[in-house]
Amino acid sequence: MVEDIIDRAEPAAKKLRDHKGNIRIIGQYDADGINATAIMYKILERLDKNFSYEILKQLYEEDVERIAQEEEELLVFVDIGSGQSDLIKEHILTKNKQVIISDHHDPAVTAEESESTEDLVHLNPHYLGYDGGEAISAAGMTYLLGKAVDTQNTDLVHYALIGATGDVQKQEGEFLGLNQQIAEEAVEENMIERRKGLDLYGRTTKPLQKSLMYTTDPHLDGVSNNESGAIQLVKSAGIEIRQKGSFRTLADLNPEEEKKLIDTMIKHAHPVQELLNNVYTLENGYEIDEFSTIINACGRLGEPRKGVKILLENDLDLAEKISRKYGRKISSSLRYVEDNKQNEEVVYEETDRCNRRKLQYRRRLHRHGSNNQHEQRIL
Ligand SMILES: [Mn+2]
């Protein structure tokens, strides 16, 4: 239950409330870490603290040594640090500093008893009897810490879910475990909308016919990999393909139109059932997977602070810019792979016209922290 975690987060909450000096947040560079950073940013801003943040791809020993030299006396690690708590103890706690770790990765030290001390609070679901792989992400843990600080922080709940989505914790449209409880809360608070719909890639960002033609699993006869077939399907459902001159996305359809599309797909014997899932839409209009992909892209493009800005300021122009830039990067990476087919050092996997979909898929299939060489090269 989330209430257990909120209770157990109280020592960390007290540390945040009571600390008088400067605080530094250290976050991880993926969507989960960036959301966890944004949550901690809001928590500290609301407590009227002086703080700064940095986002790292990895926490190496030299980073820990450098952070130990910084002036801040309270260091808050989010989505990073559980695996390096020994280094943190060795280099930071010996400098008389205070540390909070809010993470969900496998901890380096297993027994909680030997872990949290007066100067170190280590919040990790593994220590509290929960699974950090699927049940909750670092954004979720940090959100619950925020609730321990002040229930006012409940309005940060969507960040917890964007982070969990980035870490592939949503399975076939549904959040599990603690995330599920957090999702219920978000729906109740009207921070997120949940409804059954077609779970197609590009729901808010791609022309509808593209979303349909990119759907290859399950295969849609005459539509998968067939743009004119996809356009035909949309037209036969009586749906306008354009609006004010530009192509409409699935998200542009009103619920009746989406229902018409589903009915038409059923008539064509398409396996619609496999495509119907809960669709979570954020207040800013983005479907949660797509928004989380954009936040993740900020990190991948080496601009994680832009991700924090997008979240904190709801800067959708910047989100669009990042999305286009990331799209170009993927295209050029694919060209690179294409041009280097003969090069044995380039790990290559056969791709088809649905590259975007496939790459997206691959990211989904690779669990947090298990990137292979190919994925790193492409994205
Ligand atoms: Mn994470």
Side-chain angles (χ1 to χ4, degrees):
M1 300 284 278
V2 295
E3 290 76 13
D4 303 338
I5 309 248
I6 296 172
D7 282 349
R8 301 291 287 270
E10 187 46 42
K14 186 173 181 333
K15 230 180 231 314
L16 293 174
R17 278 191 222 106
D18 294 351
H19 190 75
K20 295 277 186 285
N22 293 340
I23 301 175
R24 165 149 331 183
I25 309 167
I26 300 104
Q28 221 240 339
Y29 88 126
D30 66 8
D32 185 35
I34 292 173
N35 274 279
T37 302
I39 294 170
M40 188 49 68
Y41 189 107
K42 293 299 285 184
I43 295 171
L44 296 179
E45 187 180 63
R46 288 169 175 180
L47 286 172
D48 209 16
K49 301 288 176 185
N50 290 319
F51 64 95
S52 59
Y53 75 90
E54 64 175 295
I55 294 188
L56 300 175
K57 199 162 178 176
Q58 298 225 29
L59 187 62
Y60 294 111
E61 186 159 14
E62 56 259 39
D63 299 305
V64 180
E65 283 172 336
R66 172 183 56 77
I67 291 164
Q69 302 300 327
E70 307 277 0
E71 50 150 7
E72 287 90 350
E73 283 175 344
L74 173 57
L75 305 158
V76 184
F77 292 87
V78 294
D79 199 27
I80 205 163
S82 277
Q84 299 86 358
S85 60
D86 44 349
L87 294 176
I88 289 172
K89 277 189 213 159
E90 181 187 338
H91 297 293
I92 299 182
L93 292 183
T94 48
K95 296 273 185 314
N96 253 337
K97 291 178 187 270
Q98 307 273 305
V99 173
I100 295 171
I101 302 172
S102 174
D103 196 359
H104 68 133
H105 290 92
D106 285 341
V109 179
T110 47
E112 191 199 5
E113 287 68 35
S114 67
E115 197 59 15
S116 284
T117 61
E118 204 156 297
D119 294 331
L120 168 69
V121 181
H122 191 164
L123 265 183
N124 187 303
H126 296 279
Y127 289 151
L128 306 170
Y130 295 94
D131 167 28
E134 278 186 343
I136 194 158
S137 71
M141 291 300 286
T142 309
Y143 165 67
L144 296 176
L145 167 56
K147 297 246 297 181
V149 171
D150 190 332
T151 51
Q152 182 202 359
N153 291 319
T154 302
D155 65 353
L156 308 177
V157 65
H158 52 300
Y159 297 138
L161 298 174
I162 303 168
T165 300
D167 272 2
V168 206
Q169 295 193 328
K170 188 152 65 66
Q171 302 293 335
E172 289 167 11
E174 207 36 85
F175 291 104
L176 312 169
L178 295 164
N179 283 328
Q180 193 169 37
Q181 236 186 310
I182 294 172
E184 287 306 325
E185 197 169 294
V187 171
E188 275 166 33
E189 298 282 328
N190 289 319
M191 299 301 294
I192 210 159
E193 185 204 79
R194 175 177 57 200
R195 62 185 182 84
K196 281 266 181 244
L198 284 171
D199 185 19
L200 305 185
Y201 175 66
R203 190 178 172 91
T204 56
T205 53
K206 298 274 161 222
L208 175 55
Q209 70 272 20
K210 298 270 187 201
S211 290
L212 286 163
M213 71 172 273
Y214 288 160
T215 304
T216 51
D217 180 22
H219 181 80
L220 306 177
D221 261 345
V223 173
S224 295
N225 298 324
N226 181 345
E227 186 160 12
S228 63
I231 292 173
Q232 267 310 314
L233 175 70
V234 176
K235 287 188 172 163
S236 67
I239 294 166
E240 291 293 335
I241 205 141
R242 289 172 201 267
Q243 205 163 32
K244 291 179 193 148
S246 47
F247 286 118
R248 301 170 79 194
T249 66
L250 179 53
D252 290 332
L253 269 49
N254 63 43
E256 294 83 67
E257 288 176 310
E258 187 167 348
K259 171 126 197 347
K260 272 202 268 180
L261 178 61
I262 292 167
D263 290 343
T264 308
M265 290 175 79
I266 292 170
K267 238 192 304 180
H268 286 72
H270 292 315
V272 172
Q273 214 51 42
E274 292 176 45
L275 293 169
L276 284 177
N277 268 329
N278 276 332
V279 174
Y280 288 87
T281 309
L282 298 163
E283 258 190 325
N284 62 20
Y286 273 92
E287 194 271 318
I288 199 165
D289 287 85
E290 286 166 11
F291 201 63
S292 144
T293 300
I294 293 173
I295 301 303
N296 191 60
C298 295
R300 297 288 176 125
L301 292 167
E303 302 173 290
R305 296 184 84 89
K306 289 191 176 163
V308 178
K309 183 177 188 318
I310 291 170
L311 293 170
L312 293 175
E313 299 171 23
N314 197 30
D315 189 339
L316 300 187
D317 289 337
L318 182 56
E320 275 306 306
K321 236 183 251 171
I322 291 287
S323 178
R324 283 195 298 272
K325 189 171 178 186
Y326 193 53
R328 287 196 297 274
K329 188 180 175 186
I330 289 177
S331 306
S332 70
S333 302
L334 286 170
R335 270 199 303 280
Y336 174 83
V337 173
E338 191 64 31
D339 294 346
N340 287 277
K341 267 188 185 173
Q342 309 307 327
N343 184 346
E344 279 177 16
E345 285 187 6
V346 177
V347 182
Y348 180 74
E349 232 173 79
E350 199 65 46
T351 53
D352 58 18
R353 278 179 296 163
C354 309
N355 290 329
R356 278 303 289 278
R357 170 84 184 177
K358 278 204 156 183
L359 286 170
Q360 170 77 358
Y361 232 50
R362 196 165 299 130
R363 192 171 83 72
R364 284 184 182 186
L365 290 172
H366 284 275
R367 292 216 150 260
H368 197 55
S370 67
N371 293 346
N372 65 15
Q373 195 185 353
H374 176 74
E375 193 195 24
Q376 284 174 356
R377 216 175 259 282
I378 290 286
L379 298 176

